[in-house]
Amino acid sequence: MRYRSTRGHAPLVSADQALRAGVAPDGGLYLPQTLPQFEPNAFAEDQDLGALAGRLLRPFFADSALADSLPGICASAFDFPLPLVTPDPAEPGLQVLELFHGPTGAFKDFGARFLFRAFDAIANPDNPITVLAATSGDTGGAVGCAAEGARHARAVILFPKGRISAFQERQLCCWRDPVTALRVNDDFDACQRLVKTAFADKALSARHGLSSANSISIGRLLPQMAYWAQASLEIFARTGTRPGLVVPTGNLGNGFAALLARACGLPIGPVVLATNANATLSDWHASGQYTARQSIATLANAMDVGAPSNFERLSGFGADLVEDVVRVDDAAIRQRIVSTHAASGYIACPHTATALEAYARMAPARRAERVWIAAATAHPCKFADAVEPLIGQRLTPPPSLAEVLQRPVRLTDIAARLDELAAQLEPGRAG
């Protein structure tokens, strides 16, 4: 398997080279040159997620330095529950895939844990890796947790000042070496631009072995296919019908992973993207014209993206594969959290609520055509300040999230400038 750049001006590379580079030399994003095709019966019914992921990802890592390590990486990375639940017994056609049972309470644990295990397998003391990760909320926590204690890779996490929840900020800044948290005095898009600028500086990138853990890295997207595969296979085996997916998305990583899984033959029906009030994707879907813009702050802050990086992948892959894009503003998010809890007792984080609202807006006949799977992307305790007043009760964090509150915090403030980031990358500063 070889990987190509979306911009078409970079050499083909192996999977491990694509993971290590993060971004292609021409500034493009890596995609598999070809896609393997699977039949549903290629996967055993009783396979746990680690075994299923190893089977699904095997062709993507063929002939790479990670081929032999892949089964162990998957087994180690995906060792936590992945429940598919019915939040409201009165609405059995709606299933919620809870992606927040990993150590940092967010779906980003899947990709981050896979990626850092892969990095430790391909890096060495003489050729280490520095992972730059811009985060709008949950990526950084997952990256920090996955990187803590890594032997040959360090993580430098950039996040926007004043744009994430108090708990998210604490979770970004509580990890020990080799992890550094940088609070950027700007928005997420500025953090993302700063990371891309650092990659474009060839001398800086080579000096520090820069790589990415954002969804611009193909190493983040590929493992995310696994949970969509497992959930869709379960519903397909039960009903004989391909389930539809409702995917909360900001930078388009989670949504693109679902489309990638479907393109590989997994039994997935229509894919609906749910966004917050940031209108870039919904306007594109309505008009056919893509216009990046400044992000705006919302209650679902991990999706506060005005220039989603993975649109570059989507536009060259098959943008017509997206069934719909539903924009959900803060008022509707709040109301959906309230109404869902009142109807069934189920507690949704603001991002999950965008998916539930997108489902609720479907015509009844469309909902009845198939089972729909909505992704629950983060534990509601990560947004307790927003959720608790709406449902009128205190939330109890799971042990992994409660432990974050006991850890000391380490962070450095910087401006959104390459020279300030470069200074933090020098030995003795980051990590």
Side-chain angles (χ1 to χ4, degrees):
M1 174 69 75
R2 310 297 283 175
Y3 289 79
R4 62 176 177 85
S5 168
T6 51
R7 300 185 185 179
H9 301 295
L12 298 177
V13 297
S14 63
D16 57 289
Q17 290 171 322
L19 264 63
R20 180 154 198 148
V23 177
D26 61 358
L29 306 183
Y30 282 115
L31 277 173
Q33 189 178 22
T34 59
L35 292 181
Q37 293 298 303
F38 297 94
E39 295 292 334
N41 60 12
F43 302 92
E45 289 188 18
D46 59 349
Q47 273 188 318
D48 63 26
L49 184 63
L52 184 149
R55 172 72 182 90
L56 176 67
L57 298 181
R58 187 189 308 158
F60 291 95
F61 289 87
D63 302 319
S64 81
L66 287 165
D68 293 340
S69 307
L70 185 65
I73 289 171
C74 291
S76 173
F78 306 138
D79 63 350
F80 48 87
L82 181 65
L84 189 61
V85 304
T86 307
D88 186 353
E91 186 100 33
L94 173 64
Q95 301 285 288
V96 170
L97 182 62
E98 292 188 341
L99 301 172
F100 54 71
H101 292 278
T104 70
F107 80 97
K108 307 295 179 70
D109 282 322
F110 291 91
R113 286 164 65 83
F114 178 92
L115 196 57
F116 269 90
R117 282 157 175 76
F119 284 153
D120 251 6
I122 60 177
N124 59 65
D126 298 323
N127 195 14
I129 291 173
T130 297
V131 174
L132 286 186
T135 182
S136 53
D138 289 329
T139 294
V143 166
C145 180
E148 188 177 69
R151 294 167 298 161
H152 309 311
R154 61 172 173 160
V156 179
I157 303 164
L158 293 78
F159 67 95
K161 183 176 182 178
R163 294 293 195 100
I164 64 177
S165 75
F167 183 89
Q168 283 176 314
E169 179 164 326
R170 187 172 191 92
Q171 191 178 49
L172 291 173
C173 303
C174 71
W175 308 109
R176 296 182 291 271
D177 289 346
V179 182
T180 293
L182 302 178
R183 185 167 59 188
V184 180
N185 190 25
D186 212 317
D187 63 13
F188 168 73
D189 293 317
C191 296
Q192 192 160 247
R193 285 193 299 272
L194 188 53
V195 168
K196 289 182 177 180
T197 302
F199 279 117
D201 186 320
K202 303 303 182 186
L204 184 69
S205 185
R207 175 177 170 80
H208 297 289
L210 297 186
S211 189
S212 174
N214 284 90
S215 59
I216 58 176
S217 168
I218 193 68
R220 269 276 309 280
L221 293 183
L222 294 177
Q224 287 178 239
M225 289 195 302
Y227 52 72
W228 292 124
Q230 187 176 72
S232 65
L233 287 164
E234 180 178 333
I235 297 298
F236 185 69
R238 188 194 311 168
T239 67
T241 302
R242 296 169 181 264
L245 305 183
V246 188
V247 187
T249 197
N251 209 29
L252 259 179
N254 206 8
F256 188 76
L259 295 171
L260 200 59
R262 187 173 73 175
C264 290
L266 276 301
I268 294 171
V271 176
V272 173
L273 304 181
T275 74
N276 59 21
N278 285 275
T280 300
L281 291 177
S282 58
D283 285 356
W284 156 75
H285 194 261
S287 68
Q289 301 297 313
Y290 174 82
T291 305
R293 63 200 72 190
Q294 285 293 114
S295 63
I296 59 174
T298 76
L299 199 61
N301 59 42
M303 295 154 57
D304 289 350
V305 183
S309 291
N310 281 294
F311 188 82
E312 184 167 338
R313 283 190 172 109
L314 179 65
S315 61
F317 180 79
D320 58 335
L321 298 176
V322 177
E323 170 92 357
D324 198 4
V325 180
V326 180
R327 185 172 65 193
V328 182
D329 64 19
D330 278 2
I333 289 173
R334 291 188 178 94
Q335 183 54 43
R336 184 52 51 191
I337 292 172
V338 170
S339 61
T340 297
H341 183 257
S344 65
Y346 192 80
I347 303 172
C349 86
H351 310 80
T352 305
T354 66
L356 299 178
E357 177 65 15
Y359 171 80
R361 292 182 189 180
M362 291 181 192
R366 186 182 179 205
R367 292 202 301 262
E369 289 174 352
R370 64 188 73 244
V371 171
W372 289 86
I373 302 172
T377 54
H379 197 288
C381 278
K382 299 189 76 170
F383 303 91
D385 291 350
V387 173
E388 288 178 346
L390 293 172
I391 65 172
Q393 71 179 63
R394 296 276 293 178
L395 301 178
T396 302
S400 60
L401 297 186
E403 195 249 342
V404 165
L405 301 176
Q406 309 305 315
R407 284 172 164 252
V409 166
R410 302 183 304 150
L411 68 89
T412 301
D413 286 291
I414 66 168
R417 296 192 344 232
L418 183 60
D419 62 330
E420 295 205 18
L421 172 59
Q424 295 300 321
L425 294 176
E426 290 303 314
R429 300 293 295 276

